[in-house]
Amino acid sequence: LYRAPESCEGRCGEPLSEEHECHCHAECRERGGCCEDFERLCRPDGFSRSRDSITDQELLELSEQLYGLDHNKARPTDIALNPQHQAGPGETGHQEDLSPQPLYKYVNEELFSKPTYSSFIKLLDNYQRATGREEEVTAEELREQDNFLREVMKTELMKKLFAFLHGKNRYDSEQEFLEDLKGMWFGLYSRGDGEQDSSGFEHVFSGEVKKGKVSGFHNWIRFYLLEKQGIVNYFSHNFDGPWDTFPDVLGLQFSWDGFYKEVGSAFIGCSPEFELGLYTLCFLARPGRACHLSMGGHSLSIQTYPWTKSTYGSGRRFIATAYVMSP
């Protein structure tokens, strides 16, 4: 079981100890010092019981199932890449454009007419990329968030993910899962000095600029659309995964309007629901540490981190970042 020092995840009922930052035994109600998610996780019908834990083997099996259910992914003929220069370990920080041609030679944009793609793309221009600048969310943008989540929840992939999490007592209903997806991904928090300037979705999928560097920005569709406009300039790649079909995994270096990303990573050719589903699974199952998965018989890992400075709902954590790791 995963044991987080500031959470009751996997800790319900453990003996009180002075070594712990907060407590998850029923006595903490009287003595004080309960972890902030104690009530949510450790109530009698809570999910922090050993049989409701998510095992490493279950992650491998479920990720293969989700991989097989990505019916909206790109076909081999839908995307043609031109990776060009492969940067060595000492080269990624050089900020040199070692690949004169764009990364994408061709993308079949008919993909983008699929409902999950089109609703995803509408979200990408809803953000100010500079951290420290308050995000103003309009009623139309809220509708776009709701529409995207509704569309992904129609897919077999996300229904499979919900069924698994429901079986693990994470969620009582699909509506509860939907609402939590909205909170963890679209809820605003502050990366600056108190401004509601960021969200998990903005950071991971749209990208941000912080202290003169690109932060987040792990989505292939966003990259392609901005490269097509001449706003993103591909420099090199440091990792190209073993997959001979899509999704693939690429580690890459690029600039975005002159701001540099030294080591980025992205799934290439997957659907929006595939990324959202895998990142959500890993955030719920292995927050703050490597989440080991399997995709087409090949191993890969996803790293997620929760935002620790603020919460939503009954002590739930926002997503700070999520990305596929490249060696």
Side-chain angles (χ1 to χ4, degrees):
L1 281 175
Y2 171 62
R3 283 173 164 73
E6 298 176 354
S7 169
C8 285
E9 179 75 41
R11 296 177 51 207
C12 291
E14 71 178 11
L16 298 177
S17 170
E18 293 182 1
E19 296 178 359
H20 296 148
E21 297 177 26
C22 60
H23 305 289
C24 303
H25 192 279
E27 290 181 27
C28 74
R29 284 194 178 102
E30 290 75 39
R31 297 191 179 192
C34 295
C35 296
E36 61 183 30
D37 58 7
F38 171 78
E39 292 295 335
R40 177 169 65 87
L41 300 189
C42 301
R43 65 185 192 271
D45 59 340
F47 60 70
S48 196
R49 299 169 294 192
S50 60
R51 68 176 179 272
D52 294 334
S53 66
I54 299 173
T55 67
D56 290 347
Q57 184 60 33
E58 284 173 326
L59 285 173
L60 295 175
E61 292 171 359
L62 180 61
S63 55
E64 281 289 2
Q65 291 167 354
L66 298 179
Y67 174 72
L69 291 173
D70 190 12
H71 303 312
N72 288 326
K73 68 183 178 183
R75 297 163 300 180
T77 55
D78 286 332
I79 298 174
L81 292 179
N82 185 16
Q84 300 165 82
H85 183 78
Q86 181 161 2
E91 288 185 296
T92 58
H94 290 176
Q95 302 192 33
E96 292 181 46
D97 185 358
L98 300 170
S99 302
Q101 302 299 317
L103 173 62
Y104 288 93
K105 288 197 290 188
Y106 169 76
V107 170
N108 177 9
E109 295 192 8
E110 289 182 10
L111 278 172
F112 301 158
S113 64
K114 294 175 182 281
T116 57
Y117 284 80
S118 60
S119 58
F120 172 82
I121 289 169
K122 286 182 179 178
L123 295 167
L124 296 175
D125 63 356
N126 290 352
Y127 300 100
Q128 300 184 68
R129 67 182 180 186
T131 58
R133 295 178 63 185
E134 186 97 14
E135 292 291 347
E136 296 180 9
V137 183
T138 66
E140 176 63 23
E141 290 170 351
L142 289 173
R143 285 192 293 270
E144 289 174 353
Q145 294 173 11
D146 290 338
N147 185 52
F148 170 67
L149 292 174
R150 276 197 304 270
E151 291 298 338
V152 298
M153 286 307 301
K154 292 177 185 176
T155 65
E156 202 176 341
L157 186 154
M158 289 298 285
K159 288 186 179 296
K160 176 67 177 179
L161 175 59
F162 165 71
F164 175 82
L165 295 172
H166 178 64
K168 291 292 183 178
N169 287 309
R170 290 329 198 244
Y171 300 100
D172 293 331
S173 67
E174 195 170 298
Q175 183 60 33
E176 183 187 356
F177 180 46
L178 189 69
E179 290 172 0
D180 198 35
L181 285 173
K182 187 169 184 178
M184 74 173 76
W185 281 106
F186 292 102
L188 293 173
Y189 51 85
S190 175
R191 290 184 191 265
D193 299 317
E195 306 88 352
Q196 299 291 90
D197 64 345
S198 188
S199 69
F201 184 92
E202 177 188 8
H203 181 85
V204 173
F205 294 106
S206 184
E208 299 180 294
V209 172
K210 184 176 182 180
K211 296 181 180 177
K213 294 183 179 180
V214 176
S215 181
F217 197 140
H218 298 287
N219 179 255
W220 77 270
I221 301 167
R222 173 72 160 165
F223 190 102
Y224 165 74
L225 293 172
L226 292 184
E227 184 180 61
K228 183 181 175 184
Q229 296 173 43
I231 297 171
V232 157
N233 182 19
Y234 170 71
F235 280 21
S236 56
H237 70 286
N238 63 298
F239 172 77
D240 190 356
W243 294 272
D244 55 9
T245 184
F246 298 116
D248 196 356
V249 177
L250 198 68
L252 65 167
Q253 295 69 53
F254 62 93
S255 71
W256 179 18
D257 264 351
F259 300 102
Y260 188 61
K261 181 75 174 182
E262 181 174 343
V263 181
S265 64
F267 286 107
I268 308 293
C270 67
S271 68
E273 60 266 28
F274 179 82
E275 259 185 300
L276 187 82
L278 255 61
Y279 290 155
T280 299
L281 171 63
C282 286
F283 182 68
L284 294 172
R286 300 290 186 270
R289 61 189 181 122
C291 176
H292 302 299
L293 307 177
S294 181
M295 196 171 81
H298 298 288
S299 62
L300 75 158
S301 299
I302 285 173
Q303 179 71 51
T304 67
Y305 288 104
W307 186 253
T308 59
K309 297 178 182 178
S310 56
T311 60
Y312 68 95
S314 54
R316 296 179 184 235
R317 299 288 189 186
F318 300 104
I319 290 176
T321 194
Y323 54 90
V324 58
M325 290 195 282
S326 55

